Amino acid sequence: MVIGLLLLLWFGIEQRNRGTVGESSVPLRQAPDFSLGLFDGGTFRLRDELQSGHGRPVVVNFWASWCVPCAEEAPVLEDGWQRYRDRVSFVGVDVQDIDADALAFIQRFHVTYPNGAGNAGPTSVAYGMRGVPESYFVARDGRIVRKWNGALSTAALERYLDEVQRAGGI
């Protein structure tokens, strides 16, 4: 596990050094469906969230407690969740982490949107996650309309939340 953590950390630093942090062009494609056990004991299912009575777009954020840029964006994501929660769902997928450390991170940054341990398993592979943090903006019809590598700023988050809502016909 330590080797995996070091590789992800190294990859994230290399992305930042090469200037690959930021908006990433991603072909419009269906978001892979996934089910995630949440730290609060519940379960998040992407398909259920998209097809629920409200049918809201979803922000899927891959993160880790040891990731410095993840700490930079945690308050931005929480603020976005608080302001958009009636129109957009958020879910955090914690990867390559220890649950106790992830829970301490969530408490430290007062994160209230659903989060669970993905442990860099099938969900991160299906999405093609390359490092943390990484965010995917999924429209109501299940298409990924935007991908962001690195820490999101408030301006970028608002821009992509507006875009994902328009793409979903809201």
Side-chain angles (χ1 to χ4, degrees):
M1 178 154 158
V2 172
I3 292 173
L5 287 172
L6 291 174
L7 286 173
L8 269 175
L9 180 60
W10 172 81
F11 187 80
I13 291 168
E14 284 300 302
Q15 275 190 305
R16 183 175 273 182
N17 290 342
R18 284 184 287 181
T20 56
V21 171
E23 185 177 336
S24 177
S25 63
V26 60
L28 292 180
R29 66 178 174 103
Q30 286 300 116
D33 191 25
F34 66 94
S35 180
L36 180 68
L38 300 174
F39 290 123
D40 69 4
T43 301
F44 178 93
R45 290 179 184 84
L46 181 64
R47 179 181 307 133
D48 291 349
E49 196 65 29
L50 294 171
Q51 295 176 352
S52 71
H54 299 297
R56 297 182 296 208
V58 179
V59 176
V60 180
N61 175 257
F62 292 92
W63 65 278
S65 66
W66 46 263
C67 162
V68 173
C70 297
E72 293 170 7
E73 85 170 352
V76 172
L77 289 171
E78 178 60 24
D79 181 61
W81 163 245
Q82 291 299 326
R83 289 185 297 121
Y84 286 82
R85 69 189 300 163
D86 62 331
R87 294 170 279 163
V88 180
S89 295
F90 285 53
V91 65
V93 183
D94 179 44
V95 296
Q96 293 291 325
D97 216 341
I98 297 167
D99 285 357
D101 293 342
L103 290 168
F105 180 97
I106 288 168
Q107 185 176 24
R108 176 178 163 206
F109 292 104
H110 309 287
V111 175
T112 60
Y113 56 88
N115 272 272
N119 294 323
T123 303
S124 59
V125 170
Y127 275 77
M129 186 197 81
R130 297 179 48 162
V132 290
E134 198 165 280
S135 298
Y136 294 80
F137 295 80
V138 182
R140 288 186 330 177
D141 64 4
R143 289 177 301 121
I144 296 172
V145 296
R146 184 69 56 205
K147 174 184 172 184
W148 182 269
N149 298 319
L152 281 157
S153 67
T154 299
L157 179 62
E158 288 177 353
R159 183 169 55 249
Y160 298 138
L161 288 173
D162 290 342
E163 180 181 357
V164 76
Q165 289 177 89
R166 284 191 312 274
I170 293 177

